[in-house]
Amino acid sequence: MSGLWLTPILLLFSNVVMTFAWYGHLKAPSWPLWVAILVSWGIAFFEYCLAVPANRWGYGTFTGQQLKVMQEVITLAVFAVFSVTFLGEAIRWNFVAAGLCLVAAVVFIFLPVGD
């Protein structure tokens, strides 16, 4: 599978894992902070096992800037689903507006430019 498809797929999965690492402990407020940190770091290891290859294999097919913007949009989309389904939060207009700004960033970063 080429970096064109493998990169966004791996970034999607890495963002799902990282979202749980960063925010999953919010559902366990009784955990001591040190436990939340250790659990988060343990989960984050697996995120790195997906994100590092995604960026390595994608670089060349995509520029570093394109990889970063792609990752940010994927992060926002994953977090939108996570915040609604796992945290029980509502999506408000400003979250949607921020998402549209990131989509615009994707459009701009992938436009061909004359060098």
Side-chain angles (χ1 to χ4, degrees), residues 26-99:
L26 297 177
K27 293 292 267 191
S30 63
W31 288 2
L33 184 57
W34 68 269
V35 171
I37 291 169
L38 287 178
V39 169
S40 293
W41 271 89
I43 294 169
F45 168 78
F46 296 101
E47 185 271 341
Y48 277 81
C49 290
L50 296 168
V52 171
N55 288 306
R56 277 261 175 134
W57 295 333
Y59 189 66
T61 302
F62 303 105
T63 65
Q65 296 144 346
Q66 289 171 331
L67 286 168
K68 183 59 181 171
V69 170
M70 183 186 326
Q71 184 269 330
E72 291 299 333
V73 171
I74 291 169
T75 297
L76 185 63
V78 166
F79 189 77
V81 172
F82 178 87
S83 68
V84 171
T85 60
F86 191 78
L87 297 177
E89 298 177 351
I91 293 187
R92 294 182 169 73
W93 74 267
N94 58 337
F95 193 91
V96 174

